[in-house]
Amino acid sequence: YQGGVQPIDGNVAYNLSAWVFVAAASPNAYVTIGVRWYDSVGGTLAETWSADIGGGTAGWIPLSVTGLAPSATASAEIRLKLWVGNHTAYGEIYVDDIEFTVNSSATTEKPDTSPPDHGWYRDPDGAPYNEMLQITITATGEPLNVTSFTLQAGGSANDATDVAEVKVIVDRNGNGTYDVGDALYATGTYTADNGLLTLQNSHLIPRGESQSFLFVYHLAGTSDAGETFRFNVTAIGAYGQTSETPIVVQGLPLSSSVKTTVGNLIVTEGPDTPEDHYWNSTGEPDPYNEMLQLKLEAWAEDFNVSAVTLHATGTGNDSADITDVNVIVDHNGNG
């Protein structure tokens, strides 16, 4: 096998297979298949052989062997060995459908560092991203180019309106968290509730190595308390770097965690809160002094505000010098 459509690369696993039939009247006939690996000047590096079959078979049966080409391999030779048990015997052996291909395979799993089910509280000052799923893809046989991920959304929230963005992240340190050093693979949005989303790019995984990917939601903040988000990874597009053929990634589908919207009351200093100032007692009819404006934002559900607690400070005597304290609903928000 001198190149052709596929080059022979060192440190890549190859499959050799064939169907064989040993006639029942040939009890001393045997067959085996193998590969001889050569370097660039034609020197033999190694040989890989299958088990032998003989003594008569009940119809056609498969015969196969997988071998790792030595690092210096430049070409390979498919070899077929037929023999009989002694010099007076004879046999009838049939061989068909001989195939020599790269051992192209890949697996994926959800590691222990994948995010568990969790709630989502809106945090105006925090990071807007929510890790939903971590998966690890392992390339076996040959280097693997990962070209796409397909997500099937679910949950009670509206994925088209409540999910602002979906990111696939190359989780370089494999810790299951979107942090410094991780790389963006692709981003996209759902076009329908419970819809499909395919995110495309290209990322190479060397043969025998694994790479983790994170799936991260950026939520729009339009969902109600108790609504849920989730998805399944239903397909992963990949092709072999050596064979240049599509590879089926084993282990799918994989399910994300379930994220639940949790209502919270967010309190911040209002935009028109009074600045530091002097108070002159002039006996005018308006004795009030605005001290603080608070902005209260009820997110994801309704809240009843039942109490406001103040802790007084300063050099004045709060008990003697303050006649009363009023909490006012600032309807026009002007402070």
Side-chain angles (χ1 to χ4, degrees), residues 8 31 78 81 106 113 141 144-145 171-173 181 184 186 190 192 194 204 207 211-213 220 255 304 311 316:
I8 301 298
V31 58
I78 296 171
K81 185 188 296 183
T113 47
L144 187 74
N145 267 309
D171 188 10
R172 287 174 171 161
N173 60 10
L184 176 66
Y190 294 106
N194 295 332
L204 180 65
R207 185 192 68 83
Q211 177 66 68
S212 295
F213 295 85
S255 299
N304 281 311
H311 181 194

mmCIF file of all heavy atoms in Angstrom, residues 8 31 78 81 106 113 141 144-145 171-173 181 184 186 190 192 194 204 207 211-213 220 255 304 311 316:
data_model
loop_
_atom_site.group_PDB
_atom_site.id
_atom_site.type_symbol
_atom_site.label_atom_id
_atom_site.label_comp_id
_atom_site.label_asym_id
_atom_site.label_seq_id
_atom_site.Cartn_x
_atom_site.Cartn_y
_atom_site.Cartn_z
ATOM 1 N N ILE A 8 0.693 6.936 4.366
ATOM 2 C CA ILE A 8 0.960 6.105 5.540
ATOM 3 C C ILE A 8 1.777 6.942 6.515
ATOM 4 O O ILE A 8 2.888 7.366 6.191
ATOM 5 C CB ILE A 8 1.722 4.819 5.152
ATOM 6 C CG1 ILE A 8 0.914 4.015 4.140
ATOM 7 C CG2 ILE A 8 2.005 3.978 6.389
ATOM 8 C CD1 ILE A 8 -0.413 3.536 4.648
ATOM 9 N N VAL A 31 -5.191 -19.544 7.442
ATOM 10 C CA VAL A 31 -5.022 -18.247 6.810
ATOM 11 C C VAL A 31 -4.832 -17.185 7.899
ATOM 12 O O VAL A 31 -5.423 -17.264 8.971
ATOM 13 C CB VAL A 31 -6.230 -17.883 5.920
ATOM 14 C CG1 VAL A 31 -7.522 -17.873 6.712
ATOM 15 C CG2 VAL A 31 -6.017 -16.544 5.230
ATOM 16 N N ILE A 78 0.415 -4.878 2.511
ATOM 17 C CA ILE A 78 -0.575 -5.836 3.004
ATOM 18 C C ILE A 78 -0.092 -7.244 2.640
ATOM 19 O O ILE A 78 0.278 -7.507 1.488
ATOM 20 C CB ILE A 78 -1.948 -5.576 2.368
ATOM 21 C CG1 ILE A 78 -2.470 -4.195 2.785
ATOM 22 C CG2 ILE A 78 -2.951 -6.645 2.768
ATOM 23 C CD1 ILE A 78 -3.714 -3.777 2.045
ATOM 24 N N LYS A 81 -1.094 -14.683 4.340
ATOM 25 C CA LYS A 81 -0.339 -15.913 4.557
ATOM 26 C C LYS A 81 -1.315 -17.109 4.537
ATOM 27 O O LYS A 81 -2.284 -17.143 5.302
ATOM 28 C CB LYS A 81 0.401 -15.862 5.887
ATOM 29 C CG LYS A 81 1.317 -17.061 6.132
ATOM 30 C CD LYS A 81 1.880 -17.049 7.542
ATOM 31 C CE LYS A 81 2.780 -15.853 7.770
ATOM 32 N NZ LYS A 81 3.396 -15.884 9.132
ATOM 33 N N ALA A 106 -13.348 8.112 17.791
ATOM 34 C CA ALA A 106 -13.301 9.144 18.824
ATOM 35 C C ALA A 106 -14.407 8.879 19.822
ATOM 36 O O ALA A 106 -15.478 8.365 19.472
ATOM 37 C CB ALA A 106 -13.457 10.538 18.211
ATOM 38 N N THR A 113 -15.987 17.169 36.470
ATOM 39 C CA THR A 113 -15.904 18.623 36.603
ATOM 40 C C THR A 113 -16.985 19.357 35.813
ATOM 41 O O THR A 113 -17.021 20.592 35.825
ATOM 42 C CB THR A 113 -14.520 19.115 36.147
ATOM 43 O OG1 THR A 113 -14.189 18.487 34.894
ATOM 44 C CG2 THR A 113 -13.453 18.782 37.178
ATOM 45 N N GLY A 141 -6.510 6.544 17.245
ATOM 46 C CA GLY A 141 -6.209 6.083 15.890
ATOM 47 C C GLY A 141 -5.511 7.106 15.046
ATOM 48 O O GLY A 141 -4.541 6.809 14.363
ATOM 49 N N LEU A 144 -7.672 14.288 15.204
ATOM 50 C CA LEU A 144 -9.089 14.519 14.949
ATOM 51 C C LEU A 144 -9.356 16.016 14.854
ATOM 52 O O LEU A 144 -8.938 16.791 15.712
ATOM 53 C CB LEU A 144 -9.915 13.914 16.084
ATOM 54 C CG LEU A 144 -11.422 13.912 15.909
ATOM 55 C CD1 LEU A 144 -11.821 12.862 14.890
ATOM 56 C CD2 LEU A 144 -12.100 13.636 17.249
ATOM 57 N N ASN A 145 -10.032 16.441 13.795
ATOM 58 C CA ASN A 145 -10.520 17.807 13.679
ATOM 59 C C ASN A 145 -11.980 17.853 14.088
ATOM 60 O O ASN A 145 -12.826 17.201 13.464
ATOM 61 C CB ASN A 145 -10.372 18.326 12.242
ATOM 62 C CG ASN A 145 -9.083 19.069 12.034
ATOM 63 O OD1 ASN A 145 -8.746 19.973 12.794
ATOM 64 N ND2 ASN A 145 -8.343 18.693 10.994
ATOM 65 N N ASP A 171 -11.779 24.460 26.851
ATOM 66 C CA ASP A 171 -11.425 24.504 28.282
ATOM 67 C C ASP A 171 -10.015 23.960 28.440
ATOM 68 O O ASP A 171 -9.803 22.784 28.736
ATOM 69 C CB ASP A 171 -12.438 23.673 29.080
ATOM 70 C CG ASP A 171 -12.276 23.824 30.571
ATOM 71 O OD1 ASP A 171 -11.515 24.712 31.004
ATOM 72 O OD2 ASP A 171 -12.912 23.058 31.318
ATOM 73 N N ARG A 172 -9.039 24.839 28.254
ATOM 74 C CA ARG A 172 -7.649 24.386 28.149
ATOM 75 C C ARG A 172 -7.134 23.742 29.427
ATOM 76 O O ARG A 172 -6.330 22.809 29.378
ATOM 77 C CB ARG A 172 -6.766 25.567 27.750
ATOM 78 C CG ARG A 172 -6.952 25.959 26.281
ATOM 79 C CD ARG A 172 -6.193 27.202 25.917
ATOM 80 N NE ARG A 172 -6.211 27.427 24.474
ATOM 81 C CZ ARG A 172 -5.947 28.594 23.910
ATOM 82 N NH1 ARG A 172 -5.663 29.644 24.651
ATOM 83 N NH2 ARG A 172 -5.976 28.716 22.594
ATOM 84 N N ASN A 173 -7.555 24.247 30.581
ATOM 85 C CA ASN A 173 -7.073 23.629 31.828
ATOM 86 C C ASN A 173 -8.027 22.556 32.354
ATOM 87 O O ASN A 173 -7.744 21.930 33.376
ATOM 88 C CB ASN A 173 -6.817 24.691 32.908
ATOM 89 C CG ASN A 173 -8.066 25.488 33.261
ATOM 90 O OD1 ASN A 173 -9.175 25.148 32.846
ATOM 91 N ND2 ASN A 173 -7.877 26.551 34.019
ATOM 92 N N GLY A 181 -7.367 32.157 29.960
ATOM 93 C CA GLY A 181 -6.607 31.114 29.284
ATOM 94 C C GLY A 181 -7.447 30.226 28.396
ATOM 95 O O GLY A 181 -6.919 29.546 27.513
ATOM 96 N N LEU A 184 -12.270 30.847 22.826
ATOM 97 C CA LEU A 184 -13.588 30.739 22.212
ATOM 98 C C LEU A 184 -13.511 29.842 20.980
ATOM 99 O O LEU A 184 -12.677 30.057 20.093
ATOM 100 C CB LEU A 184 -14.097 32.125 21.826
ATOM 101 C CG LEU A 184 -15.437 32.157 21.073
ATOM 102 C CD1 LEU A 184 -16.563 31.671 21.974
ATOM 103 C CD2 LEU A 184 -15.718 33.567 20.565
ATOM 104 N N ALA A 186 -16.747 28.787 19.291
ATOM 105 C CA ALA A 186 -17.829 29.297 18.440
ATOM 106 C C ALA A 186 -18.913 29.885 19.326
ATOM 107 O O ALA A 186 -18.988 29.596 20.529
ATOM 108 C CB ALA A 186 -18.405 28.188 17.556
ATOM 109 N N TYR A 190 -30.193 30.545 19.623
ATOM 110 C CA TYR A 190 -31.322 29.729 19.182
ATOM 111 C C TYR A 190 -32.302 30.598 18.394
ATOM 112 O O TYR A 190 -32.550 31.753 18.745
ATOM 113 C CB TYR A 190 -32.048 29.111 20.371
ATOM 114 C CG TYR A 190 -31.239 28.102 21.155
ATOM 115 C CD1 TYR A 190 -30.716 28.434 22.409
ATOM 116 C CD2 TYR A 190 -31.010 26.828 20.655
ATOM 117 C CE1 TYR A 190 -29.986 27.506 23.143
ATOM 118 C CE2 TYR A 190 -30.276 25.900 21.375
ATOM 119 C CZ TYR A 190 -29.768 26.241 22.619
ATOM 120 O OH TYR A 190 -29.042 25.333 23.340
ATOM 121 N N ALA A 192 -35.432 29.311 17.762
ATOM 122 C CA ALA A 192 -36.755 28.838 18.163
ATOM 123 C C ALA A 192 -36.667 28.239 19.554
ATOM 124 O O ALA A 192 -35.599 27.765 19.971
ATOM 125 C CB ALA A 192 -37.291 27.798 17.173
ATOM 126 N N ASN A 194 -36.862 25.535 22.290
ATOM 127 C CA ASN A 194 -36.558 24.101 22.190
ATOM 128 C C ASN A 194 -36.004 23.746 20.808
ATOM 129 O O ASN A 194 -36.258 22.652 20.295
ATOM 130 C CB ASN A 194 -37.794 23.251 22.502
ATOM 131 C CG ASN A 194 -38.249 23.406 23.938
ATOM 132 O OD1 ASN A 194 -37.457 23.696 24.827
ATOM 133 N ND2 ASN A 194 -39.540 23.233 24.174
ATOM 134 N N LEU A 204 -8.126 20.994 16.347
ATOM 135 C CA LEU A 204 -7.388 19.744 16.163
ATOM 136 C C LEU A 204 -7.052 19.119 17.509
ATOM 137 O O LEU A 204 -6.519 19.785 18.402
ATOM 138 C CB LEU A 204 -6.103 20.007 15.386
ATOM 139 C CG LEU A 204 -5.218 18.786 15.124
ATOM 140 C CD1 LEU A 204 -5.929 17.785 14.221
ATOM 141 C CD2 LEU A 204 -3.889 19.207 14.520
ATOM 142 N N ARG A 207 -3.619 12.647 18.022
ATOM 143 C CA ARG A 207 -3.935 11.241 18.258
ATOM 144 C C ARG A 207 -3.577 10.841 19.684
ATOM 145 O O ARG A 207 -2.514 11.167 20.202
ATOM 146 C CB ARG A 207 -3.161 10.350 17.281
ATOM 147 C CG ARG A 207 -3.537 8.865 17.387
ATOM 148 C CD ARG A 207 -2.548 8.014 16.634
ATOM 149 N NE ARG A 207 -1.243 8.030 17.263
ATOM 150 C CZ ARG A 207 -0.903 7.249 18.302
ATOM 151 N NH1 ARG A 207 -1.789 6.436 18.826
ATOM 152 N NH2 ARG A 207 0.305 7.320 18.814
ATOM 153 N N GLN A 211 -9.377 16.548 24.743
ATOM 154 C CA GLN A 211 -9.607 17.983 24.874
ATOM 155 C C GLN A 211 -10.982 18.218 25.475
ATOM 156 O O GLN A 211 -11.962 17.587 25.063
ATOM 157 C CB GLN A 211 -9.513 18.682 23.515
ATOM 158 C CG GLN A 211 -9.807 20.163 23.550
ATOM 159 C CD GLN A 211 -8.760 20.933 24.326
ATOM 160 O OE1 GLN A 211 -7.622 21.042 23.925
ATOM 161 N NE2 GLN A 211 -9.153 21.469 25.491
ATOM 162 N N SER A 212 -11.060 19.111 26.454
ATOM 163 C CA SER A 212 -12.332 19.449 27.080
ATOM 164 C C SER A 212 -12.927 20.691 26.427
ATOM 165 O O SER A 212 -12.213 21.623 26.062
ATOM 166 C CB SER A 212 -12.149 19.689 28.581
ATOM 167 O OG SER A 212 -11.759 18.502 29.238
ATOM 168 N N PHE A 213 -14.261 20.692 26.326
ATOM 169 C CA PHE A 213 -15.008 21.827 25.797
ATOM 170 C C PHE A 213 -16.089 22.211 26.802
ATOM 171 O O PHE A 213 -16.716 21.339 27.422
ATOM 172 C CB PHE A 213 -15.657 21.487 24.452
ATOM 173 C CG PHE A 213 -14.677 21.211 23.348
ATOM 174 C CD1 PHE A 213 -14.142 19.944 23.180
ATOM 175 C CD2 PHE A 213 -14.287 22.217 22.479
ATOM 176 C CE1 PHE A 213 -13.240 19.680 22.169
ATOM 177 C CE2 PHE A 213 -13.378 21.966 21.457
ATOM 178 C CZ PHE A 213 -12.850 20.693 21.303
ATOM 179 N N ALA A 220 -30.538 36.274 28.910
ATOM 180 C CA ALA A 220 -30.999 37.620 28.568
ATOM 181 C C ALA A 220 -31.612 38.353 29.753
ATOM 182 O O ALA A 220 -31.754 39.574 29.711
ATOM 183 C CB ALA A 220 -32.011 37.535 27.427
ATOM 184 N N SER A 255 -26.151 15.177 28.172
ATOM 185 C CA SER A 255 -27.101 16.164 28.681
ATOM 186 C C SER A 255 -26.399 17.215 29.528
ATOM 187 O O SER A 255 -25.512 16.892 30.328
ATOM 188 C CB SER A 255 -28.180 15.471 29.526
ATOM 189 O OG SER A 255 -28.904 14.537 28.753
ATOM 190 N N ASN A 304 -42.470 41.888 47.941
ATOM 191 C CA ASN A 304 -43.043 42.831 48.893
ATOM 192 C C ASN A 304 -41.945 43.290 49.841
ATOM 193 O O ASN A 304 -41.339 42.464 50.535
ATOM 194 C CB ASN A 304 -44.184 42.187 49.694
ATOM 195 C CG ASN A 304 -45.484 42.134 48.919
ATOM 196 O OD1 ASN A 304 -45.909 43.134 48.356
ATOM 197 N ND2 ASN A 304 -46.111 40.958 48.872
ATOM 198 N N HIS A 311 -28.658 51.920 60.164
ATOM 199 C CA HIS A 311 -27.689 51.969 61.262
ATOM 200 C C HIS A 311 -27.030 53.340 61.221
ATOM 201 O O HIS A 311 -26.243 53.645 60.325
ATOM 202 C CB HIS A 311 -26.644 50.866 61.118
ATOM 203 C CG HIS A 311 -25.641 50.848 62.239
ATOM 204 N ND1 HIS A 311 -24.471 50.142 62.169
ATOM 205 C CD2 HIS A 311 -25.631 51.458 63.454
ATOM 206 C CE1 HIS A 311 -23.779 50.312 63.292
ATOM 207 N NE2 HIS A 311 -24.476 51.123 64.085
ATOM 208 N N GLY A 316 -23.181 63.679 65.343
ATOM 209 C CA GLY A 316 -24.386 64.203 65.967
ATOM 210 C C GLY A 316 -25.079 63.172 66.826
ATOM 211 O O GLY A 316 -24.830 61.969 66.725
#
